[in-house]
Amino acid sequence: MQDEAGAPLTSAEPTPSPAPDPSHEGRRRLRVLLVAIAALVLVLDQGTKAWALAALTPGQPVDLVGSAIRLNLIRNPGAAFSLGDGRTWLLTLVSLAILGWVLVAVRRVDNRGWAVPLGLLLGGAVGNLVDRLVREPSPGQGHVVDFIDYFGWFIGNVADIAIVVAAGVVMVLAYRGVPLGSRHSAEHADG
């Protein structure tokens, strides 16, 4: 109750709310893009691996483009070109280190040029890491499901494709001098 004339209890004109920080909103959108790309790669990778395990028989390749591109199911204990056989646990640690680097780099990303390859790299690394963690012969030493045979040179999967494309884009960005993010990106990034 206000009996006497004086200042009103409420302002006649609403107080404007502070304008949103466009750099904050832009980084949030880039993170959403990055995570969406990573999730899409992971779903495609794990889905195609499940399909390959159900539809293909090891040692019985299926020609797609003549004998140049085939579907040929294998379980790979190593890395690309079967490097590191017998050291699957070490490859699991390397995958975890890459995953850690990407998660740190995500805080600095402030342009789409870097968000896309980091999303591809994150999805590919997690896709192959899932295999290493949950597939036979044991957790942390699981064999990666590979099924796309390229000219008889090597056999890979969707995660490998994403990782190779990401590496190519990163090389182009580095060559062109495109920074991952501004110096203050990490300081102002939300948790």
Side-chain angles (χ1 to χ4, degrees):
M1 288 171 78
Q2 187 174 357
D3 289 341
E4 296 180 25
L9 294 176
T10 59
S11 172
E13 294 182 29
T15 306
S17 59
D21 177 6
S23 62
H24 172 74
E25 182 64 24
R27 280 194 304 274
R28 188 186 70 74
R29 281 192 204 121
L30 289 172
R31 287 185 188 142
V32 168
L33 173 65
L34 190 151
V35 169
I37 290 169
L40 178 62
V41 168
L42 179 60
V43 167
L44 287 173
D45 178 64
Q46 292 299 306
T48 55
K49 287 174 179 175
W51 171 84
L53 288 168
L56 301 173
T57 304
Q60 296 180 4
V62 176
D63 291 348
L64 285 181
V65 181
S67 61
I69 306 292
R70 295 177 157 181
L71 298 177
N72 189 6
L73 180 63
I74 65 166
R75 292 176 183 261
N76 185 356
F81 303 104
S82 294
L83 297 174
D85 286 355
R87 300 228 174 8
T88 305
W89 62 271
L90 181 60
L91 295 171
T92 301
L93 292 177
V94 168
S95 294
L96 287 169
I98 291 169
L99 181 61
W101 178 84
V102 171
L103 292 176
V104 168
V106 165
R107 292 179 51 87
R108 293 189 54 210
V109 171
D110 65 6
N111 66 69
R112 185 174 291 157
W114 278 98
V116 171
L118 288 177
L120 291 169
L121 182 58
L122 180 61
V126 171
N128 283 337
L129 183 59
V130 166
D131 285 10
R132 298 218 183 275
L133 294 176
V134 303
R135 298 203 187 273
E136 295 178 0
S138 64
Q141 296 186 19
H143 295 180
V144 173
V145 174
D146 287 334
F147 61 95
I148 306 169
D149 187 336
Y150 301 93
F151 308 100
W153 296 340
F154 63 94
I155 303 174
N157 56 46
V158 171
D160 298 334
I161 294 168
I163 291 167
V164 169
V165 169
V169 173
V170 166
M171 285 189 291
V172 169
L173 292 171
Y175 176 77
R176 294 182 63 203
V178 177
L180 178 65
S182 60
R183 290 183 186 192
H184 69 279
S185 295
E187 297 167 11
H188 298 291
D190 58 320

